[in-house]
Amino acid sequence: MTFCGPGETMTVDDALRAGPQPPIGLSDAEISLHAGYVLAARRKGCVIEPLSDLLALSRADAERLRDAILRFRLVRERAVGWRIESGAAPTVHDRAADYGMVARHVLTNRAVIPAHLRGGRAFADIRLIMNDHVSPHATAAEALRAIDSVGLALSTVEWIVEPRETDTHDGVATDTVSPAWVSVGPTVPVGRLATSAVSVKRNGVVVAHGTPDRAVGEFGRSLVVLAGHLAKIGQRISRGATVLVSWMPAGVALSPGDCVEVYLADSLAMSYRCGEG
């Protein structure tokens, strides 16, 4: 097979040796095809290899693909809320905030994580319960007034797509901000959450420690950004919805048999166990 241009001939091998080419926009049909590919792997528990460098996604196409995946999921799954990567997190400060869907069947007060979860990572997230819907045109102050209560959640995010070593987000079709399981803890006053230390233990050993004060300060802005994203797929932040806001950029790697616990100050807020296999 050859790629022919005016006065030249290039074979597939020549194209591969020439290295990655500038990304070209994907058609709507191609976006739907790739979204179906990701969803099929999600349902079967398979890992998807990264797209070829010759088919590298632009940021705009990656966002179109994410939105298509969520639209397809909403046909079969009932959303109880959304999870957003906070712009305050150091690993995402230079890119648009990403988001995923929390389905009703994965929200629980006690969880045993399936042992077959592929590449699972646990995150101690801030959990917002909404008292009113948030408009994409709201101010940050208006979005803050729409929050009913605040607490913590322990979410397990699954790597549906095998990440690249150099960049785990750009150029690959990921669904890594949609939790595979969420365990929720008690609600607390916002002030206590912002100032109290949070510790995450895996099998009794502290693996993450800090205060979520930066993420708390971004509540209003994060909600408005999320509302803008959701409007593009015909959804909104509704009354009673859960919104998870990440404040642990790296997360905690999970293995079968692991027990993960989250402490607010010195009190156990929640825990869950990863199945033995």
PDB file of all heavy atoms in Angstrom, residues 63 66-68 70-71 73-74 81-86 95-102 174-179 222 225-235 243-244:
ATOM      1  N   GLU A  63     -11.530  15.304  23.890  1.00  0.00           N
ATOM      2  CA  GLU A  63     -12.715  15.730  24.627  1.00  0.00           C
ATOM      3  C   GLU A  63     -13.996  15.276  23.935  1.00  0.00           C
ATOM      4  O   GLU A  63     -14.969  14.887  24.587  1.00  0.00           O
ATOM      5  CB  GLU A  63     -12.695  17.250  24.792  1.00  0.00           C
ATOM      6  CG  GLU A  63     -11.584  17.723  25.725  1.00  0.00           C
ATOM      7  CD  GLU A  63     -11.527  19.233  25.860  1.00  0.00           C
ATOM      8  OE1 GLU A  63     -12.277  19.921  25.130  1.00  0.00           O
ATOM      9  OE2 GLU A  63     -10.751  19.715  26.706  1.00  0.00           O
ATOM     10  N   ARG A  66     -14.355  11.617  24.849  1.00  0.00           N
ATOM     11  CA  ARG A  66     -14.844  11.480  26.226  1.00  0.00           C
ATOM     12  C   ARG A  66     -16.346  11.740  26.296  1.00  0.00           C
ATOM     13  O   ARG A  66     -17.094  10.989  26.932  1.00  0.00           O
ATOM     14  CB  ARG A  66     -14.111  12.472  27.125  1.00  0.00           C
ATOM     15  CG  ARG A  66     -14.630  12.533  28.558  1.00  0.00           C
ATOM     16  CD  ARG A  66     -14.291  13.861  29.207  1.00  0.00           C
ATOM     17  NE  ARG A  66     -14.868  14.982  28.491  1.00  0.00           N
ATOM     18  CZ  ARG A  66     -14.416  16.237  28.576  1.00  0.00           C
ATOM     19  NH1 ARG A  66     -13.386  16.515  29.327  1.00  0.00           N
ATOM     20  NH2 ARG A  66     -15.003  17.202  27.895  1.00  0.00           N
ATOM     21  N   ASP A  67     -16.801  12.800  25.627  1.00  0.00           N
ATOM     22  CA  ASP A  67     -18.225  13.133  25.662  1.00  0.00           C
ATOM     23  C   ASP A  67     -19.068  12.050  24.999  1.00  0.00           C
ATOM     24  O   ASP A  67     -20.167  11.731  25.454  1.00  0.00           O
ATOM     25  CB  ASP A  67     -18.475  14.480  24.986  1.00  0.00           C
ATOM     26  CG  ASP A  67     -17.885  15.645  25.774  1.00  0.00           C
ATOM     27  OD1 ASP A  67     -17.548  15.447  26.956  1.00  0.00           O
ATOM     28  OD2 ASP A  67     -17.764  16.747  25.208  1.00  0.00           O
ATOM     29  N   ALA A  68     -18.561  11.462  23.910  1.00  0.00           N
ATOM     30  CA  ALA A  68     -19.293  10.388  23.241  1.00  0.00           C
ATOM     31  C   ALA A  68     -19.405   9.163  24.143  1.00  0.00           C
ATOM     32  O   ALA A  68     -20.463   8.508  24.206  1.00  0.00           O
ATOM     33  CB  ALA A  68     -18.599  10.018  21.925  1.00  0.00           C
ATOM     34  N   LEU A  70     -19.459   9.141  27.406  1.00  0.00           N
ATOM     35  CA  LEU A  70     -20.433   9.427  28.459  1.00  0.00           C
ATOM     36  C   LEU A  70     -21.863   9.388  27.932  1.00  0.00           C
ATOM     37  O   LEU A  70     -22.769   8.894  28.614  1.00  0.00           O
ATOM     38  CB  LEU A  70     -20.137  10.777  29.096  1.00  0.00           C
ATOM     39  CG  LEU A  70     -18.873  10.814  29.950  1.00  0.00           C
ATOM     40  CD1 LEU A  70     -18.599  12.224  30.434  1.00  0.00           C
ATOM     41  CD2 LEU A  70     -19.001   9.871  31.135  1.00  0.00           C
ATOM     42  N   ARG A  71     -22.087   9.872  26.725  1.00  0.00           N
ATOM     43  CA  ARG A  71     -23.436   9.814  26.149  1.00  0.00           C
ATOM     44  C   ARG A  71     -23.894   8.365  26.005  1.00  0.00           C
ATOM     45  O   ARG A  71     -25.028   8.027  26.312  1.00  0.00           O
ATOM     46  CB  ARG A  71     -23.460  10.500  24.778  1.00  0.00           C
ATOM     47  CG  ARG A  71     -23.443  12.016  24.819  1.00  0.00           C
ATOM     48  CD  ARG A  71     -23.785  12.579  23.444  1.00  0.00           C
ATOM     49  NE  ARG A  71     -23.568  14.019  23.381  1.00  0.00           N
ATOM     50  CZ  ARG A  71     -22.489  14.598  22.891  1.00  0.00           C
ATOM     51  NH1 ARG A  71     -21.488  13.851  22.430  1.00  0.00           N
ATOM     52  NH2 ARG A  71     -22.376  15.903  22.862  1.00  0.00           N
ATOM     53  N   ARG A  73     -22.780   5.773  27.713  1.00  0.00           N
ATOM     54  CA  ARG A  73     -22.974   5.178  29.037  1.00  0.00           C
ATOM     55  C   ARG A  73     -24.309   5.582  29.637  1.00  0.00           C
ATOM     56  O   ARG A  73     -24.962   4.782  30.320  1.00  0.00           O
ATOM     57  CB  ARG A  73     -21.840   5.616  29.983  1.00  0.00           C
ATOM     58  CG  ARG A  73     -20.510   4.942  29.725  1.00  0.00           C
ATOM     59  CD  ARG A  73     -19.512   5.312  30.810  1.00  0.00           C
ATOM     60  NE  ARG A  73     -19.962   4.864  32.108  1.00  0.00           N
ATOM     61  CZ  ARG A  73     -19.493   5.325  33.265  1.00  0.00           C
ATOM     62  NH1 ARG A  73     -18.581   6.270  33.262  1.00  0.00           N
ATOM     63  NH2 ARG A  73     -19.942   4.862  34.402  1.00  0.00           N
ATOM     64  N   LEU A  74     -24.735   6.814  29.401  1.00  0.00           N
ATOM     65  CA  LEU A  74     -25.973   7.300  29.981  1.00  0.00           C
ATOM     66  C   LEU A  74     -27.196   6.574  29.435  1.00  0.00           C
ATOM     67  O   LEU A  74     -28.268   6.599  30.049  1.00  0.00           O
ATOM     68  CB  LEU A  74     -26.107   8.806  29.737  1.00  0.00           C
ATOM     69  CG  LEU A  74     -25.200   9.673  30.619  1.00  0.00           C
ATOM     70  CD1 LEU A  74     -25.097  11.082  30.050  1.00  0.00           C
ATOM     71  CD2 LEU A  74     -25.710   9.707  32.048  1.00  0.00           C
ATOM     72  N   GLY A  81     -24.035  11.094  39.846  1.00  0.00           N
ATOM     73  CA  GLY A  81     -23.184  12.269  40.024  1.00  0.00           C
ATOM     74  C   GLY A  81     -22.010  12.259  39.071  1.00  0.00           C
ATOM     75  O   GLY A  81     -21.984  11.502  38.101  1.00  0.00           O
ATOM     76  N   TRP A  82     -21.022  13.101  39.402  1.00  0.00           N
ATOM     77  CA  TRP A  82     -19.899  13.319  38.495  1.00  0.00           C
ATOM     78  C   TRP A  82     -18.619  13.466  39.313  1.00  0.00           C
ATOM     79  O   TRP A  82     -18.648  13.854  40.476  1.00  0.00           O
ATOM     80  CB  TRP A  82     -20.139  14.583  37.660  1.00  0.00           C
ATOM     81  CG  TRP A  82     -21.483  14.550  37.003  1.00  0.00           C
ATOM     82  CD1 TRP A  82     -22.648  15.052  37.517  1.00  0.00           C
ATOM     83  CD2 TRP A  82     -21.827  13.929  35.769  1.00  0.00           C
ATOM     84  NE1 TRP A  82     -23.689  14.786  36.661  1.00  0.00           N
ATOM     85  CE2 TRP A  82     -23.214  14.103  35.581  1.00  0.00           C
ATOM     86  CE3 TRP A  82     -21.081  13.254  34.789  1.00  0.00           C
ATOM     87  CZ2 TRP A  82     -23.880  13.619  34.460  1.00  0.00           C
ATOM     88  CZ3 TRP A  82     -21.747  12.780  33.666  1.00  0.00           C
ATOM     89  CH2 TRP A  82     -23.125  12.967  33.508  1.00  0.00           C
ATOM     90  N   ARG A  83     -17.486  13.147  38.690  1.00  0.00           N
ATOM     91  CA  ARG A  83     -16.188  13.326  39.340  1.00  0.00           C
ATOM     92  C   ARG A  83     -15.346  14.232  38.460  1.00  0.00           C
ATOM     93  O   ARG A  83     -15.254  14.018  37.250  1.00  0.00           O
ATOM     94  CB  ARG A  83     -15.473  11.987  39.540  1.00  0.00           C
ATOM     95  CG  ARG A  83     -14.126  12.135  40.260  1.00  0.00           C
ATOM     96  CD  ARG A  83     -13.485  10.767  40.512  1.00  0.00           C
ATOM     97  NE  ARG A  83     -12.286  10.876  41.302  1.00  0.00           N
ATOM     98  CZ  ARG A  83     -11.069  11.057  40.806  1.00  0.00           C
ATOM     99  NH1 ARG A  83     -10.900  11.161  39.498  1.00  0.00           N
ATOM    100  NH2 ARG A  83     -10.008  11.139  41.600  1.00  0.00           N
ATOM    101  N   ILE A  84     -14.739  15.240  39.068  1.00  0.00           N
ATOM    102  CA  ILE A  84     -13.950  16.210  38.318  1.00  0.00           C
ATOM    103  C   ILE A  84     -12.534  16.269  38.882  1.00  0.00           C
ATOM    104  O   ILE A  84     -12.331  16.188  40.097  1.00  0.00           O
ATOM    105  CB  ILE A  84     -14.606  17.611  38.354  1.00  0.00           C
ATOM    106  CG1 ILE A  84     -13.849  18.594  37.454  1.00  0.00           C
ATOM    107  CG2 ILE A  84     -14.706  18.152  39.767  1.00  0.00           C
ATOM    108  CD1 ILE A  84     -14.592  19.890  37.210  1.00  0.00           C
ATOM    109  N   GLU A  85     -11.568  16.335  37.966  1.00  0.00           N
ATOM    110  CA  GLU A  85     -10.187  16.560  38.364  1.00  0.00           C
ATOM    111  C   GLU A  85     -10.045  18.043  38.642  1.00  0.00           C
ATOM    112  O   GLU A  85     -10.213  18.869  37.734  1.00  0.00           O
ATOM    113  CB  GLU A  85      -9.226  16.128  37.259  1.00  0.00           C
ATOM    114  CG  GLU A  85      -9.202  14.629  36.998  1.00  0.00           C
ATOM    115  CD  GLU A  85      -8.489  13.853  38.082  1.00  0.00           C
ATOM    116  OE1 GLU A  85      -7.941  14.493  39.010  1.00  0.00           O
ATOM    117  OE2 GLU A  85      -8.472  12.618  38.013  1.00  0.00           O
ATOM    118  N   SER A  86      -9.767  18.394  39.871  1.00  0.00           N
ATOM    119  CA  SER A  86      -9.706  19.794  40.254  1.00  0.00           C
ATOM    120  C   SER A  86      -8.560  20.504  39.554  1.00  0.00           C
ATOM    121  O   SER A  86      -7.452  19.974  39.446  1.00  0.00           O
ATOM    122  CB  SER A  86      -9.531  19.914  41.770  1.00  0.00           C
ATOM    123  OG  SER A  86      -9.258  21.239  42.138  1.00  0.00           O
ATOM    124  N   ARG A  95      -4.037  22.225  32.079  1.00  0.00           N
ATOM    125  CA  ARG A  95      -4.971  21.708  31.079  1.00  0.00           C
ATOM    126  C   ARG A  95      -6.392  21.860  31.593  1.00  0.00           C
ATOM    127  O   ARG A  95      -6.628  22.083  32.772  1.00  0.00           O
ATOM    128  CB  ARG A  95      -4.671  20.236  30.758  1.00  0.00           C
ATOM    129  CG  ARG A  95      -4.898  19.280  31.915  1.00  0.00           C
ATOM    130  CD  ARG A  95      -4.449  17.867  31.529  1.00  0.00           C
ATOM    131  NE  ARG A  95      -4.699  16.931  32.610  1.00  0.00           N
ATOM    132  CZ  ARG A  95      -5.820  16.250  32.749  1.00  0.00           C
ATOM    133  NH1 ARG A  95      -6.811  16.408  31.902  1.00  0.00           N
ATOM    134  NH2 ARG A  95      -5.967  15.402  33.756  1.00  0.00           N
ATOM    135  N   ALA A  96      -7.333  21.736  30.680  1.00  0.00           N
ATOM    136  CA  ALA A  96      -8.734  21.884  31.060  1.00  0.00           C
ATOM    137  C   ALA A  96      -9.127  20.798  32.055  1.00  0.00           C
ATOM    138  O   ALA A  96      -8.669  19.659  31.972  1.00  0.00           O
ATOM    139  CB  ALA A  96      -9.611  21.798  29.817  1.00  0.00           C
ATOM    140  N   ALA A  97      -9.963  21.162  33.028  1.00  0.00           N
ATOM    141  CA  ALA A  97     -10.410  20.186  34.014  1.00  0.00           C
ATOM    142  C   ALA A  97     -11.158  19.055  33.315  1.00  0.00           C
ATOM    143  O   ALA A  97     -11.984  19.281  32.438  1.00  0.00           O
ATOM    144  CB  ALA A  97     -11.315  20.861  35.042  1.00  0.00           C
ATOM    145  N   ASP A  98     -10.851  17.828  33.687  1.00  0.00           N
ATOM    146  CA  ASP A  98     -11.495  16.662  33.096  1.00  0.00           C
ATOM    147  C   ASP A  98     -12.569  16.164  34.046  1.00  0.00           C
ATOM    148  O   ASP A  98     -12.572  16.479  35.235  1.00  0.00           O
ATOM    149  CB  ASP A  98     -10.452  15.577  32.837  1.00  0.00           C
ATOM    150  CG  ASP A  98     -10.836  14.693  31.666  1.00  0.00           C
ATOM    151  OD1 ASP A  98     -11.976  14.818  31.174  1.00  0.00           O
ATOM    152  OD2 ASP A  98     -10.007  13.881  31.248  1.00  0.00           O
ATOM    153  N   TYR A  99     -13.480  15.348  33.524  1.00  0.00           N
ATOM    154  CA  TYR A  99     -14.556  14.865  34.382  1.00  0.00           C
ATOM    155  C   TYR A  99     -15.042  13.498  33.910  1.00  0.00           C
ATOM    156  O   TYR A  99     -14.797  13.085  32.782  1.00  0.00           O
ATOM    157  CB  TYR A  99     -15.733  15.849  34.379  1.00  0.00           C
ATOM    158  CG  TYR A  99     -16.578  15.818  33.118  1.00  0.00           C
ATOM    159  CD1 TYR A  99     -17.801  15.147  33.102  1.00  0.00           C
ATOM    160  CD2 TYR A  99     -16.151  16.423  31.943  1.00  0.00           C
ATOM    161  CE1 TYR A  99     -18.566  15.092  31.947  1.00  0.00           C
ATOM    162  CE2 TYR A  99     -16.907  16.385  30.794  1.00  0.00           C
ATOM    163  CZ  TYR A  99     -18.113  15.722  30.794  1.00  0.00           C
ATOM    164  OH  TYR A  99     -18.875  15.668  29.653  1.00  0.00           O
ATOM    165  N   GLY A 100     -15.698  12.790  34.808  1.00  0.00           N
ATOM    166  CA  GLY A 100     -16.279  11.496  34.486  1.00  0.00           C
ATOM    167  C   GLY A 100     -17.573  11.306  35.246  1.00  0.00           C
ATOM    168  O   GLY A 100     -17.987  12.155  36.037  1.00  0.00           O
ATOM    169  N   MET A 101     -18.217  10.172  35.027  1.00  0.00           N
ATOM    170  CA  MET A 101     -19.543   9.903  35.545  1.00  0.00           C
ATOM    171  C   MET A 101     -19.493   8.946  36.727  1.00  0.00           C
ATOM    172  O   MET A 101     -18.716   7.989  36.744  1.00  0.00           O
ATOM    173  CB  MET A 101     -20.387   9.295  34.422  1.00  0.00           C
ATOM    174  CG  MET A 101     -21.816   8.985  34.773  1.00  0.00           C
ATOM    175  SD  MET A 101     -22.662   8.379  33.277  1.00  0.00           S
ATOM    176  CE  MET A 101     -23.293   6.832  33.885  1.00  0.00           C
ATOM    177  N   VAL A 102     -20.312   9.211  37.743  1.00  0.00           N
ATOM    178  CA  VAL A 102     -20.491   8.294  38.866  1.00  0.00           C
ATOM    179  C   VAL A 102     -21.864   7.651  38.687  1.00  0.00           C
ATOM    180  O   VAL A 102     -22.885   8.332  38.687  1.00  0.00           O
ATOM    181  CB  VAL A 102     -20.436   9.026  40.225  1.00  0.00           C
ATOM    182  CG1 VAL A 102     -20.631   8.032  41.365  1.00  0.00           C
ATOM    183  CG2 VAL A 102     -19.097   9.748  40.377  1.00  0.00           C
ATOM    184  N   THR A 174      -8.915   7.881  27.321  1.00  0.00           N
ATOM    185  CA  THR A 174      -9.008   7.384  28.686  1.00  0.00           C
ATOM    186  C   THR A 174     -10.399   7.576  29.254  1.00  0.00           C
ATOM    187  O   THR A 174     -11.151   8.442  28.848  1.00  0.00           O
ATOM    188  CB  THR A 174      -8.020   8.108  29.617  1.00  0.00           C
ATOM    189  OG1 THR A 174      -8.383   9.480  29.680  1.00  0.00           O
ATOM    190  CG2 THR A 174      -6.596   7.983  29.133  1.00  0.00           C
ATOM    191  N   ASP A 175     -10.731   6.728  30.205  1.00  0.00           N
ATOM    192  CA  ASP A 175     -11.959   6.899  30.974  1.00  0.00           C
ATOM    193  C   ASP A 175     -11.580   6.839  32.447  1.00  0.00           C
ATOM    194  O   ASP A 175     -12.270   6.258  33.267  1.00  0.00           O
ATOM    195  CB  ASP A 175     -12.967   5.806  30.628  1.00  0.00           C
ATOM    196  CG  ASP A 175     -14.381   6.148  31.079  1.00  0.00           C
ATOM    197  OD1 ASP A 175     -14.649   7.332  31.330  1.00  0.00           O
ATOM    198  OD2 ASP A 175     -15.207   5.239  31.201  1.00  0.00           O
ATOM    199  N   THR A 176     -10.433   7.442  32.774  1.00  0.00           N
ATOM    200  CA  THR A 176      -9.847   7.262  34.096  1.00  0.00           C
ATOM    201  C   THR A 176     -10.447   8.156  35.165  1.00  0.00           C
ATOM    202  O   THR A 176     -10.060   8.058  36.329  1.00  0.00           O
ATOM    203  CB  THR A 176      -8.330   7.534  34.054  1.00  0.00           C
ATOM    204  OG1 THR A 176      -8.114   8.855  33.566  1.00  0.00           O
ATOM    205  CG2 THR A 176      -7.639   6.552  33.134  1.00  0.00           C
ATOM    206  N   VAL A 177     -11.372   9.043  34.810  1.00  0.00           N
ATOM    207  CA  VAL A 177     -11.997   9.859  35.849  1.00  0.00           C
ATOM    208  C   VAL A 177     -13.402   9.375  36.174  1.00  0.00           C
ATOM    209  O   VAL A 177     -14.118  10.021  36.928  1.00  0.00           O
ATOM    210  CB  VAL A 177     -12.034  11.362  35.467  1.00  0.00           C
ATOM    211  CG1 VAL A 177     -10.641  11.938  35.470  1.00  0.00           C
ATOM    212  CG2 VAL A 177     -12.699  11.572  34.124  1.00  0.00           C
ATOM    213  N   SER A 178     -13.815   8.232  35.604  1.00  0.00           N
ATOM    214  CA  SER A 178     -15.090   7.621  35.978  1.00  0.00           C
ATOM    215  C   SER A 178     -14.808   6.506  36.978  1.00  0.00           C
ATOM    216  O   SER A 178     -14.237   5.480  36.617  1.00  0.00           O
ATOM    217  CB  SER A 178     -15.803   7.052  34.752  1.00  0.00           C
ATOM    218  OG  SER A 178     -16.283   8.082  33.925  1.00  0.00           O
ATOM    219  N   PRO A 179     -15.183   6.680  38.247  1.00  0.00           N
ATOM    220  CA  PRO A 179     -14.858   5.672  39.252  1.00  0.00           C
ATOM    221  C   PRO A 179     -15.544   4.334  38.974  1.00  0.00           C
ATOM    222  O   PRO A 179     -16.682   4.282  38.505  1.00  0.00           O
ATOM    223  CB  PRO A 179     -15.392   6.283  40.559  1.00  0.00           C
ATOM    224  CG  PRO A 179     -15.506   7.740  40.285  1.00  0.00           C
ATOM    225  CD  PRO A 179     -15.844   7.857  38.835  1.00  0.00           C
ATOM    226  N   SER A 222     -14.811  25.001  40.309  1.00  0.00           N
ATOM    227  CA  SER A 222     -14.869  23.646  39.760  1.00  0.00           C
ATOM    228  C   SER A 222     -16.284  23.269  39.348  1.00  0.00           C
ATOM    229  O   SER A 222     -16.494  22.630  38.307  1.00  0.00           O
ATOM    230  CB  SER A 222     -14.334  22.643  40.790  1.00  0.00           C
ATOM    231  OG  SER A 222     -12.973  22.860  41.057  1.00  0.00           O
ATOM    232  N   VAL A 225     -17.175  25.042  36.055  1.00  0.00           N
ATOM    233  CA  VAL A 225     -16.483  24.393  34.939  1.00  0.00           C
ATOM    234  C   VAL A 225     -17.172  23.082  34.585  1.00  0.00           C
ATOM    235  O   VAL A 225     -17.413  22.771  33.414  1.00  0.00           O
ATOM    236  CB  VAL A 225     -14.998  24.147  35.294  1.00  0.00           C
ATOM    237  CG1 VAL A 225     -14.340  23.243  34.258  1.00  0.00           C
ATOM    238  CG2 VAL A 225     -14.249  25.467  35.385  1.00  0.00           C
ATOM    239  N   LEU A 226     -17.522  22.281  35.608  1.00  0.00           N
ATOM    240  CA  LEU A 226     -18.201  21.008  35.374  1.00  0.00           C
ATOM    241  C   LEU A 226     -19.551  21.236  34.699  1.00  0.00           C
ATOM    242  O   LEU A 226     -19.916  20.517  33.759  1.00  0.00           O
ATOM    243  CB  LEU A 226     -18.390  20.268  36.694  1.00  0.00           C
ATOM    244  CG  LEU A 226     -19.173  18.950  36.628  1.00  0.00           C
ATOM    245  CD1 LEU A 226     -18.490  17.953  35.689  1.00  0.00           C
ATOM    246  CD2 LEU A 226     -19.342  18.351  38.017  1.00  0.00           C
ATOM    247  N   ALA A 227     -20.311  22.228  35.162  1.00  0.00           N
ATOM    248  CA  ALA A 227     -21.613  22.532  34.557  1.00  0.00           C
ATOM    249  C   ALA A 227     -21.464  22.862  33.080  1.00  0.00           C
ATOM    250  O   ALA A 227     -22.299  22.462  32.251  1.00  0.00           O
ATOM    251  CB  ALA A 227     -22.282  23.683  35.303  1.00  0.00           C
ATOM    252  N   GLY A 228     -20.384  23.569  32.728  1.00  0.00           N
ATOM    253  CA  GLY A 228     -20.146  23.894  31.326  1.00  0.00           C
ATOM    254  C   GLY A 228     -19.867  22.656  30.493  1.00  0.00           C
ATOM    255  O   GLY A 228     -20.354  22.515  29.367  1.00  0.00           O
ATOM    256  N   HIS A 229     -19.070  21.725  31.036  1.00  0.00           N
ATOM    257  CA  HIS A 229     -18.795  20.471  30.336  1.00  0.00           C
ATOM    258  C   HIS A 229     -20.090  19.678  30.128  1.00  0.00           C
ATOM    259  O   HIS A 229     -20.354  19.168  29.035  1.00  0.00           O
ATOM    260  CB  HIS A 229     -17.815  19.616  31.146  1.00  0.00           C
ATOM    261  CG  HIS A 229     -16.384  20.026  31.019  1.00  0.00           C
ATOM    262  ND1 HIS A 229     -15.759  20.222  29.801  1.00  0.00           N
ATOM    263  CD2 HIS A 229     -15.439  20.259  31.958  1.00  0.00           C
ATOM    264  CE1 HIS A 229     -14.495  20.557  29.995  1.00  0.00           C
ATOM    265  NE2 HIS A 229     -14.276  20.585  31.299  1.00  0.00           N
ATOM    266  N   LEU A 230     -20.878  19.544  31.184  1.00  0.00           N
ATOM    267  CA  LEU A 230     -22.082  18.725  31.120  1.00  0.00           C
ATOM    268  C   LEU A 230     -23.102  19.289  30.141  1.00  0.00           C
ATOM    269  O   LEU A 230     -23.837  18.529  29.490  1.00  0.00           O
ATOM    270  CB  LEU A 230     -22.709  18.592  32.507  1.00  0.00           C
ATOM    271  CG  LEU A 230     -21.888  17.845  33.551  1.00  0.00           C
ATOM    272  CD1 LEU A 230     -22.640  17.778  34.875  1.00  0.00           C
ATOM    273  CD2 LEU A 230     -21.545  16.442  33.074  1.00  0.00           C
ATOM    274  N   ALA A 231     -23.164  20.602  30.020  1.00  0.00           N
ATOM    275  CA  ALA A 231     -24.133  21.216  29.103  1.00  0.00           C
ATOM    276  C   ALA A 231     -23.911  20.744  27.672  1.00  0.00           C
ATOM    277  O   ALA A 231     -24.858  20.625  26.891  1.00  0.00           O
ATOM    278  CB  ALA A 231     -24.042  22.735  29.192  1.00  0.00           C
ATOM    279  N   LYS A 232     -22.652  20.425  27.335  1.00  0.00           N
ATOM    280  CA  LYS A 232     -22.350  19.988  25.975  1.00  0.00           C
ATOM    281  C   LYS A 232     -22.915  18.616  25.663  1.00  0.00           C
ATOM    282  O   LYS A 232     -23.087  18.267  24.491  1.00  0.00           O
ATOM    283  CB  LYS A 232     -20.827  19.989  25.750  1.00  0.00           C
ATOM    284  CG  LYS A 232     -20.203  21.371  25.797  1.00  0.00           C
ATOM    285  CD  LYS A 232     -18.753  21.330  25.365  1.00  0.00           C
ATOM    286  CE  LYS A 232     -17.907  20.457  26.274  1.00  0.00           C
ATOM    287  NZ  LYS A 232     -16.469  20.489  25.891  1.00  0.00           N
ATOM    288  N   ILE A 233     -23.209  17.810  26.677  1.00  0.00           N
ATOM    289  CA  ILE A 233     -23.782  16.479  26.434  1.00  0.00           C
ATOM    290  C   ILE A 233     -25.221  16.413  26.949  1.00  0.00           C
ATOM    291  O   ILE A 233     -25.762  15.331  27.172  1.00  0.00           O
ATOM    292  CB  ILE A 233     -22.932  15.364  27.071  1.00  0.00           C
ATOM    293  CG1 ILE A 233     -22.863  15.497  28.598  1.00  0.00           C
ATOM    294  CG2 ILE A 233     -21.530  15.344  26.478  1.00  0.00           C
ATOM    295  CD1 ILE A 233     -22.266  14.272  29.279  1.00  0.00           C
ATOM    296  N   GLY A 234     -25.839  17.572  27.141  1.00  0.00           N
ATOM    297  CA  GLY A 234     -27.245  17.604  27.516  1.00  0.00           C
ATOM    298  C   GLY A 234     -27.518  17.213  28.951  1.00  0.00           C
ATOM    299  O   GLY A 234     -28.614  16.750  29.279  1.00  0.00           O
ATOM    300  N   GLN A 235     -26.544  17.392  29.843  1.00  0.00           N
ATOM    301  CA  GLN A 235     -26.705  17.043  31.246  1.00  0.00           C
ATOM    302  C   GLN A 235     -26.477  18.278  32.116  1.00  0.00           C
ATOM    303  O   GLN A 235     -25.994  19.303  31.646  1.00  0.00           O
ATOM    304  CB  GLN A 235     -25.702  15.948  31.642  1.00  0.00           C
ATOM    305  CG  GLN A 235     -25.888  14.646  30.876  1.00  0.00           C
ATOM    306  CD  GLN A 235     -27.158  13.932  31.240  1.00  0.00           C
ATOM    307  OE1 GLN A 235     -27.480  13.732  32.407  1.00  0.00           O
ATOM    308  NE2 GLN A 235     -27.909  13.522  30.219  1.00  0.00           N
ATOM    309  N   VAL A 243     -21.070  15.236  43.648  1.00  0.00           N
ATOM    310  CA  VAL A 243     -19.938  15.688  42.830  1.00  0.00           C
ATOM    311  C   VAL A 243     -18.669  15.386  43.612  1.00  0.00           C
ATOM    312  O   VAL A 243     -18.503  15.855  44.743  1.00  0.00           O
ATOM    313  CB  VAL A 243     -20.023  17.194  42.503  1.00  0.00           C
ATOM    314  CG1 VAL A 243     -18.772  17.630  41.725  1.00  0.00           C
ATOM    315  CG2 VAL A 243     -21.284  17.513  41.701  1.00  0.00           C
ATOM    316  N   LEU A 244     -17.799  14.576  43.030  1.00  0.00           N
ATOM    317  CA  LEU A 244     -16.520  14.251  43.653  1.00  0.00           C
ATOM    318  C   LEU A 244     -15.447  15.168  43.077  1.00  0.00           C
ATOM    319  O   LEU A 244     -15.335  15.319  41.862  1.00  0.00           O
ATOM    320  CB  LEU A 244     -16.142  12.790  43.384  1.00  0.00           C
ATOM    321  CG  LEU A 244     -17.157  11.736  43.823  1.00  0.00           C
ATOM    322  CD1 LEU A 244     -16.627  10.333  43.491  1.00  0.00           C
ATOM    323  CD2 LEU A 244     -17.472  11.855  45.305  1.00  0.00           C
TER     324      LEU A 244
END
